[in-house]
Amino acid sequence: MDGVPPFPPARSASTPGRGAPSNLTPLRFNLHERVADPDWLDEREGIDGAPSKPRTTVTADHARTIINRITSPDLPIEQSINMYRGCEHGCIYCYARPSHARYDLSPGLDFETKLFAKPDAANLLRAELARPTYTMRPIAIGTNTDPYQPIERDWRLTRAIIEVLAETGHPLFITTKSDRIVRDIDLLADMARRRLVHVIISVTSLDSAMARKLEPRAPHPAKRLAAIAALAKAGVPTQVNVAPIIPAITDHEIEHIIAEAAQAGACRAGYTIIRLPHEVAPLLREWLSLHFPDRADKVMNIIRDLRGGRDYDPRYFHRMHGQGIWGDLIRTRFRRACAIYGLNHRGSDLDLAAFVPPSANGQMRLL
């Protein structure tokens, strides 16, 4: 097909424990293709002669602000917080990968091994919420990279953010694919009683072998279902996101995921179809050549059919769910499954009137 990039040669092996096969990337932002070198990889030969895994590094990012304003008309949120840049889960399909290119890092292996954390996140949030000009809107975390990726265990930035929002009565949306969220169930259960939180757990596949290929360092799908059950039991409104749906790879699991999530206690469901902005498309092609060479062309052809003949359609109200016959089919199957298993019949409206600004610099705000 004219204008369609060829598939790269199939690689003999993936990088152990990582999602992206390499740091292959186009020359966007004058970024050159990365190669394995001692500056960012562990010493390649281990004691048994096998290549060692790339080392994960975390750099402190001393940001000046923490709340991002969102103007996308097809998103139900207006504010978000990202405590981390890059994500160790290593999901090959992650639409956030291209953000690393802005910092002269590869959206490939760099994205999942060279991470950045904002240690001042909670203090920055408190200061911004205390400003007289602050306009309260629900805040979403997990819209870019996962707030409960492995480094949260040590950095605990997500918990610190939740503590500030709980203290001030500020409504919150959390999106994650990690069962680590249950470690904060004490805070979330209290916020749920005050109608201040809604949690979304993403499940891409229930097949453990498939999950290991797609998202090698994300928790096992069974653990995510267990997290939904634990949150629901604690009274936390929890939604399952069948996301992303990858045609000819995971689309056959739509009904099964919704059924299992409903049984676990999810009250709502959503879905998105795989998005391939910028460097994600060539990374996925490389991944397909390695893991599914027999159907690589089929997968990309269906994706292009969903995207009007392109790898990616960035238009608002089209980018999430696709179009055409495939888009209609997936939408119909999703809605039918939700109806069968009783999801999306009740909402979880957040309390928008409970917010009380925090003190600033030790001084309470004057009335």
Side-chain angles (χ1 to χ4, degrees):
M1 184 183 298
D2 293 341
V4 176
F7 277 90
R11 301 173 65 87
S12 59
S14 60
T15 304
R18 297 297 180 178
S22 72
N23 262 330
L24 177 70
T25 184
L27 301 181
R28 195 164 66 96
F29 300 115
N30 295 316
L31 173 65
H32 294 285
E33 181 176 333
R34 299 281 174 153
V35 296
D37 66 60
D39 291 336
W40 70 278
L41 287 180
D42 280 335
E43 192 174 3
R44 292 195 59 82
E45 297 302 318
I47 192 170
D48 60 354
S52 58
K53 297 178 181 179
R55 179 182 64 248
T56 297
T57 64
V58 185
T59 300
D61 178 2
H62 295 287
R64 296 181 179 180
T65 60
I66 197 65
I67 299 178
N68 309 306
R69 268 65 189 189
I70 299 174
T71 59
S72 303
D74 59 347
L75 295 179
I77 55 174
E78 298 178 46
Q79 300 189 131
S80 70
I81 292 176
N82 295 303
M83 295 75 68
Y84 303 112
R85 281 197 282 116
C87 185
E88 196 174 3
H89 282 161
C91 307
I92 188 59
Y93 51 74
C94 183
Y95 61 82
R97 283 181 177 273
S99 62
H100 248 45
R102 300 190 185 101
Y103 303 94
D104 195 28
L105 294 171
S106 170
L109 284 172
D110 281 354
F111 178 79
E112 49 195 280
T113 60
K114 289 191 170 185
L115 312 180
F116 297 82
K118 301 175 183 178
D120 307 319
N123 290 333
L124 290 170
L125 175 61
R126 184 178 295 277
E128 292 184 51
L129 297 184
R131 290 175 183 168
T133 56
Y134 177 73
T135 300
M136 201 290 298
R137 295 288 187 275
I139 284 175
I141 60 177
T143 58
N144 196 45
T145 55
D146 202 304
Y148 286 102
Q149 59 179 289
I151 59 173
E152 168 64 14
R153 176 189 57 202
D154 299 321
W155 288 76
R156 297 172 66 85
L157 300 182
T158 299
R159 184 175 178 89
I161 289 291
I162 295 174
E163 287 173 339
V164 173
L165 297 176
E167 172 193 332
T168 58
H170 198 296
L172 166 68
F173 290 99
I174 301 174
T175 300
T176 182
K177 57 170 57 71
S178 176
D179 65 322
R180 294 180 189 90
I181 190 172
V182 300
R183 300 177 186 178
D184 294 336
I185 208 165
D186 56 327
L187 296 173
L188 299 176
D190 177 67
M191 292 185 76
R193 285 191 289 271
R194 295 185 283 154
R195 295 194 296 117
L196 293 175
V197 67
H198 182 77
V199 171
I200 301 103
I201 304 288
S202 297
V203 179
T204 312
S205 172
L206 296 176
D207 182 325
S208 59
M210 179 66 75
R212 280 196 301 271
K213 292 183 178 73
L214 283 169
E215 39 200 28
R217 296 201 177 190
H220 191 285
K223 290 186 175 182
R224 297 181 225 180
L225 292 174
I228 292 175
L231 290 164
K233 184 178 180 180
V236 181
T238 306
Q239 170 177 323
V240 62
N241 263 12
V242 187
I245 295 171
I246 307 175
I249 299 291
T250 66
D251 58 317
H252 62 286
E253 296 193 65
I254 294 172
E255 291 82 0
H256 190 195
I257 292 172
I258 292 174
E260 291 293 318
Q263 184 175 0
C267 61
R268 298 188 63 80
Y271 80 95
T272 60
I273 293 174
I274 188 169
R275 297 161 56 188
L276 301 178
H278 303 299
E279 292 86 356
V280 185
L283 283 169
L284 181 70
R285 281 193 290 269
E286 185 182 23
W287 181 88
L288 287 168
S289 294
L290 176 63
H291 294 288
F292 296 100
D294 60 320
R295 69 185 90 165
D297 286 316
K298 178 181 179 180
V299 172
M300 293 306 300
N301 286 337
I302 297 175
I303 289 175
R304 292 188 195 100
D305 194 57
L306 282 159
R307 303 301 185 188
R310 296 178 287 175
D311 287 346
Y312 180 55
D313 181 357
R315 292 179 299 162
Y316 296 132
F317 303 105
H318 291 82
R319 57 184 179 157
M320 303 294 187
H321 297 152
Q323 62 187 30
I325 295 174
W326 287 102
D328 292 342
L329 177 60
I330 291 172
R331 186 179 303 109
T332 299
R333 289 175 56 195
F334 171 80
R335 290 176 177 174
R336 184 173 182 272
C338 288
I340 290 173
Y341 296 105
L343 299 184
N344 294 348
H345 291 312
R346 53 194 175 96
S348 54
D349 293 336
L350 300 179
D351 186 350
L352 304 183
F355 174 66
V356 177
S359 60
N361 299 321
Q363 299 293 321
M364 297 300 293
R365 181 181 294 185
L366 295 176
L367 298 178

